[in-house]
Structures are given as structure tokens and as C-alpha cells.
């Protein structure tokens, strides 16, 4: 009786409130002390934020109705017809998973166990078995989520709030780290004259950084430059890191996409792990499995001992719980299924090699047209020297603006282009446009 009366009273109150709001709108927002026109004033000081540079490019591209328009800003693979590509291995995995009639229950806080083991084994390779009892891993919301966990752990526990990042680096690095309260410092990386690696500047800056600084390194296919250290240069970087006692944050978003070979692209990760350098590793399966919208990633930490690993994991779970509680299940199941199935994994490796090969082919074609067909007065060797999805063209901001305004070719202001957006039907159009804006 009491429950029923309360329910009637509550329902009646909702009806009265609804009627009051309806009357308020009819009366211009004014009724019985209610003024909806005035609105809530608490957010009056919130400024308009700038649009995201990458997604802003995609929005401009979508609004353009020019037949030959090109989107070279977004870092997503496209096939030679310019269409999004779902890997056949992923389709097969999804089909087989559906047959299992699995539930949709929550994963554990650190995610799918099989996925975490296979992901870290792929990243650490031959070193994995020797460090597995000191390795802590958590499935993350793609690579960005792994970086978020890293930044929050640094902010909460690491004695220094300074993090050294390459100049330039992926634009979202600064957003993630600054929002966690870290102080961003830069080390030299790209040489605009040679359009290659400024290894001397990099080593000098890392040597001058205070001992035990946090240093962000790109494992392979550096974003945005496409410039990677050689094995000998990685060894030099390792030497400085060890001498200074730096803590390494390794961002691995493109394993397999640089060379087409997973082990080769993991050289730096395995080098630092085998030398027991304290490190975090942030992996993404967005690019190499095409799981962009599934947000599949993995965070891992190489600790000093199993006892330290247990303490670290306890705190990591607290951070995950407070961030997103636990990770999504579907994408992790796809990745785990592929990684565990030897035949499907071999098929996937072939597909990744095919994607990497197509990108390399587009680099070669673009350079050839510029140098051989159009007789450009500029050197374009850096197009084929660089590696991975992106090319740092050396185009100036005003030239980028002309490309978008006059040729409907969209790219970031720093001249970075996504080679994955080039195909056999538009590469000549791009080459001619680049030649035109660089000939004056």
C-alpha cells in the first residue's frame, strides 16, 4: 500500500513537471519562477576549443563534392580502389567466433587473458619467455588507451613529471600527456634539411636530459615523419638511455606496417627488453588488423621482479577501474582468435605484408612520376627512404593550403601525407599537384 501510494505520487509529480516545462516553452520560457531562456550560466567561461586537426580534415573532405578529391590526412589503410579494407582473416575470425554463441559478459579489469599473452608475445618475441614473470599487461582501449594508462601511472607514481617526446610527434601525444599533468619536453628527431633522422641531435638532447627522465620512443614507422632509426642507431639510443637511467615509454602503433615483418618491426622493443631497460609498451591493433573501430590495444610494463609486478598490477587495476572499468570484448576476441590459430595467423601475416607492400609501391610510383615524368627540380628520395604509413613531404603550410584549396587534396599543415590514401588511379593527379605547388 505504501509502495503504491509513493509510486502514484511520484508519477503525478512527473506529469506535473512535464506540464510545467511544456507551459514554460509556450510562454517563452517563463513560468512560476522558471526562466529557460536564461539557461544555465555555469559553463559561461568554457571557451570554444579548436577542432581536431586529423578529424577536421576528414570533415572537410566529406563536404567536398569534387570528383578527384583526396584525403591524405587520416591514418587508415585504404585498398587500391580507395575503399576501407576489412582483412579476410578478420572476417574469418568473426565468422568462427559467432559460431561459438558466446555471451557478452564483462571481461576482467585487465581484459582477455589470451589476447594479452599473445599480444605481448608478439611484441617481445624471443625475449618474452625470459621476462614473462616480470611482465604486467592490460588490454587497453587501443593504443591511445594504453598511452592514457601510462600517463596516469606516471602522474601518480613516477618521481618526475617531465616526459621527453620527439620533435615532431603524433599530435595526440601532447593531449594525452598534458591532460595527465605531465610536463612535455622535446628532443630533436627530424632533420628538415636531409628529411631524415637527426641522430646526433637526438642523442645530445637525451644525454642532457636529467637522469631518470621519461622518454617516449616510437617502436617503428614513426608518426608523422616515417623516419626510423637504423639498428645501429637504436643501439646508440639504448646506450644513452642506459647511461642516463631513463624510463622508456615505447609507442608501437604500426608493428608489421613498417617492413611487412612483425619481428623486424619489433627490433627496438626486444632490444630494450633484453637489456632490462625499465619500460612501458603501448600496442595498437587498429592498423595491422584493421580494427580501427574495435579499439583493440595492449599496455604492458616490464618490472624488476615478480613481487614488483604483483604490486604494479594491483595499482594498474585501480587505474583501469577508474578510467573505463574494463575493456570491450569483441575486438579482443577477434585479435586473440587470429593470434592463437596458426593457419589464420599466417594468413594475417600475409595480408599485412600485402598492405605494407602496396604502400611501398605507392611511394616508389609517386617518387618516379615526380622525378622522371615531371622532371621536378626538387629531390624526392625521402619519399622512398621513409617507411610506414606516413610520409613527411617537406611541403610548406602555404603549399598545403594550395593543395586543399585548388586541388581538393587534404593533408595536415605540416606536410604529412598518408601513403595509404594513394592508389594507382590518383597517384599521378597527386604528383602533378605537388609538382605545381613546388615549381614556383
Amino acid at each position: 500500500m505504501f509502495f503504491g501510494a509513493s509510486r502514484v505520487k511520484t508519477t503525478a509529480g512527473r506529469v506535473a513537471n512535464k506540464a510545467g516545462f511544456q507551459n514554460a516553452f509556450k510562454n517563452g520560457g517563463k513560468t512560476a519562477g522558471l526562466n529557460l531562456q536564461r539557461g544555465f550560466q555555469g559553463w559561461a567561461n568554457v571557451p570554444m576549443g579548436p577542432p581536431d586537426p586529423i578529424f577536421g580534415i576528414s570533415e572537410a573532405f566529406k563536404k567536398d563534392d569534387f570528383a578527384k578529391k583526396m584525403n591524405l590526412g587520416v591514418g587508415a589503410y585504404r585498398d587500391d580502389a580507395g575503399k576501407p579494407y576489412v582483412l579476410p582473416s578478420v572476417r574469418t575470425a568473426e565468422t568462427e567466433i559467432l559460431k561459438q554463441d558466446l555471451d557478452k559478459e564483462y571481461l576482467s579489469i585487465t581484459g582477455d587473458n589470451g589476447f594479452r599473452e599473445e599480444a605481448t608475445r608478439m611484441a617481445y618475441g624471443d625475449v618474452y619467455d625470459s621476462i614473462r614473470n616480470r611482465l604486467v599487461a592490460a588490454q587497453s582501449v587501443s593504443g591511445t588507451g594504453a598511452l592514457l594508462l601510462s600517463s596516469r601511472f606516471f602522474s601518480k607514481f613516477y618521481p618526475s613529471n617531465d616526459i621527453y617526446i620527439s620533435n615532431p610527434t603524433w599530435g595526440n601525444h601532447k593531449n594525452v600527456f598534458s591532460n595527465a599533468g605531465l610536463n612535455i619536453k622535446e628532443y630533436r628527431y627530424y632533420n628538415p634539411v636531409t628529411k631524415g633522422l637527426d641522430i646526433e641531435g637526438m642523442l645530445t638532447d637525451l644525454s642532457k636530459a636529467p637522469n631518470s627522465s621519461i622518454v617516449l620512443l616510437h617502436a617503428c614507422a614513426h608518426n608523422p615523419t616515417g623516419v626510423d632509426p637504423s639498428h645501429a642507431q637504436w643501439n646508440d639510443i639504448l646506450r644513452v638511455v642506459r647511461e642516463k637511467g631513463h624510463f622508456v615509454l615505447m609507442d608501437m602503433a604500426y608493428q608489421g606496417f613498417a617492413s611487412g615483418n612483425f619481428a623486424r618491426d619489433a627490433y627496438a622493443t626486444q632490444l630494450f627488453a633484453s637489456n632490462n631497460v625499465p619500460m612501458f609498451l603501448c600496442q595498437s591493433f587498429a592498423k595491422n588488423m584493421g580494427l580501427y573501430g574495435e579499439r583493440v590495444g595492449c599496455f604492458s610494463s616490464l618490472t624488476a621482479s615478480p613481487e614488483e609486478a604483483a604490486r604494479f598490477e594491483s595499482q594498474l587495476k585501480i587505474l583501469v577501474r577508474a578510467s573505463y572499468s574494463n575493456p570491450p570484448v569483441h575486438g579482443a576476441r577477434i585479435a586473440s582468435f587470429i593470434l592463437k590459430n596458426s593457419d589464420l595467423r599466417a594468413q594475417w601475416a600475409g595480408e599485412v605484408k600485402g598492405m605494407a607492400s602496396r604502400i611501398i609501391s605507392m611511394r616508389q610510383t609517386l617518387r618516379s612520376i615526380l622525378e622522371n615524368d615531371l622532371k621536378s627540380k626538387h629531390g624526392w628520395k625521402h619519399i622512398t627512404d621513409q617507411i610506414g604509413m606516413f610520409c613527411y613531404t617537406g611541403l610548406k603550410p602555404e603549399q598545403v593550403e594550395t593543395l586543399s584549396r585548388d586541388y581538393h587534396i587534404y593533408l595536415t599543415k605540416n606536410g604529412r601525407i598518408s601513403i595509404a590514401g594513394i592508389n594507382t588511379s590518383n597517384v599521378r593527379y597527386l604528383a602533378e599537384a605537388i609538382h605545381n605547388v613546388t615549381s614556383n
Side-chain angles (χ1 to χ4, degrees):
M1 187 70 177
F2 179 80
F3 175 80
S6 298
R7 185 184 181 95
V8 170
K9 183 177 180 181
T10 302
T11 302
R14 285 201 299 266
V15 172
N17 286 339
K18 183 176 180 180
F21 275 102
Q22 289 173 338
N23 289 332
F25 280 111
K26 290 179 181 178
N27 297 325
K30 298 179 180 179
T31 181
L34 181 66
N35 186 345
L36 295 182
Q37 285 185 330
R38 184 180 63 189
F40 176 60
Q41 299 300 306
W43 308 132
N45 294 325
V46 176
M48 178 66 73
D52 183 89
I54 302 299
F55 287 97
I57 290 172
S58 295
E59 288 301 315
F61 172 80
K62 290 176 182 177
K63 294 176 182 178
D64 193 333
D65 59 3
F66 186 68
K68 293 184 177 181
K69 66 179 182 178
M70 296 179 66
N71 185 356
L72 303 182
V74 65
Y77 183 79
R78 296 292 181 261
D79 63 19
D80 201 50
K83 302 297 184 182
Y85 179 58
V86 179
L87 278 65
S89 58
V90 168
R91 290 291 195 206
T92 299
E94 283 188 311
T95 300
E96 294 301 316
I97 290 169
L98 287 174
K99 291 178 182 178
Q100 297 177 18
D101 195 25
L102 300 171
D103 59 44
K104 298 293 184 180
E105 289 295 299
Y106 292 120
L107 288 174
S108 68
I109 293 176
T110 52
D112 183 277
N113 290 336
F115 166 72
R116 289 186 292 124
E117 179 177 352
E118 294 298 331
T120 49
R121 184 182 292 277
M122 188 178 86
Y124 294 100
D126 294 338
V127 186
Y128 176 80
D129 286 332
S130 65
I131 63 172
R132 61 183 305 175
N133 67 339
R134 298 185 288 119
L135 201 60
V136 178
Q139 180 189 331
S140 60
V141 185
S142 202
T144 305
L147 289 165
L148 173 66
L149 292 177
S150 300
S151 65
R152 292 195 64 193
F153 211 96
F154 285 136
S155 182
K156 189 173 182 179
F157 294 106
Y158 201 72
S160 172
N161 279 339
D162 292 340
I163 182 168
Y164 284 78
I165 64 177
S166 64
N167 180 18
T169 193
W170 179 48
N172 210 25
H173 279 149
K174 293 183 178 180
N175 296 332
V176 173
F177 301 142
S178 61
N179 283 341
L182 300 181
N183 302 317
I184 297 172
K185 309 287 186 179
E186 292 184 333
Y187 60 82
R188 284 171 285 178
Y189 189 86
Y190 178 76
N191 186 329
V193 176
T194 64
K195 297 181 176 62
L197 180 65
D198 183 0
I199 185 62
E200 293 303 322
M202 180 181 183
L203 296 176
T204 298
D205 291 347
L206 293 183
S207 295
K208 290 182 178 179
N211 291 349
S212 303
S213 295
I214 305 166
V215 176
L216 172 72
L217 299 173
H218 298 231
C220 61
H222 184 274
N223 182 2
T225 68
V227 174
D228 283 0
S230 66
H231 286 186
Q233 291 169 333
W234 272 121
N235 292 335
D236 289 336
I237 296 168
L238 170 68
R239 173 181 52 78
V240 172
V241 165
R242 295 187 70 184
E243 288 174 354
K244 298 291 294 185
H246 292 328
F247 192 102
V248 169
L249 173 57
M250 191 77 74
D251 190 353
M252 183 183 258
Y254 299 96
Q255 187 179 7
F257 244 91
S259 67
N261 182 289
F262 296 121
R264 190 177 306 156
D265 290 353
Y267 177 82
T269 302
Q270 296 180 33
L271 175 68
F272 281 73
S274 64
N275 281 274
N276 286 315
V277 173
M279 62 184 291
F280 290 168
L281 175 65
C282 301
Q283 292 173 264
S284 170
F285 288 83
K287 306 300 189 299
N288 58 21
M289 281 192 180
L291 297 174
Y292 303 99
E294 300 290 357
R295 315 308 294 141
V296 184
C298 188
F299 164 88
S300 59
S301 171
L302 179 58
T303 64
S305 66
E307 185 274 332
E308 183 176 280
R311 288 187 287 105
F312 188 99
E313 185 174 38
S314 70
Q315 293 295 337
L316 179 62
K317 288 179 177 178
I318 293 172
L319 289 179
V320 171
R321 186 76 170 115
S323 298
Y324 51 86
S325 189
N326 61 327
V329 66
H330 185 64
R333 284 174 174 168
I334 294 172
S336 181
F337 192 93
I338 293 173
L339 291 170
K340 288 181 177 180
N341 185 298
S342 58
D343 291 339
L344 204 55
R345 181 167 180 153
Q347 178 185 331
W348 170 56
E351 292 163 357
V352 173
K353 184 173 179 58
M355 290 190 290
S357 295
R358 195 188 79 75
I359 288 176
I360 292 171
S361 174
M362 287 299 99
R363 287 182 180 276
Q364 294 168 341
T365 304
L366 178 60
R367 177 187 173 188
S368 177
I369 294 174
L370 283 165
E371 293 181 348
N372 301 326
D373 296 2
L374 302 176
K375 308 299 182 185
S376 173
K377 63 182 180 181
H378 301 285
W380 297 100
K381 183 175 179 290
H382 60 283
I383 294 178
T384 53
D385 284 346
Q386 295 170 12
I387 196 169
M389 184 174 285
F390 302 111
C391 173
Y392 223 47
T393 60
L395 293 171
K396 301 175 182 178
E398 58 270 24
Q399 294 169 331
V400 171
E401 176 64 26
T402 301
L403 283 175
S404 62
R405 184 186 65 244
D406 297 347
Y407 298 93
H408 307 265
I409 298 172
Y410 297 90
L411 60 153
T412 55
K413 291 182 179 180
N414 58 13
R416 187 203 77 170
I417 63 174
S418 173
I419 301 295
I422 307 173
N423 55 62
T424 52
S425 65
N426 64 21
V427 63
R428 180 167 292 275
Y429 177 73
L430 172 63
E432 291 173 347
I434 291 176
H435 178 64
N436 289 340
V437 301
T438 56
S439 294
N440 298 330

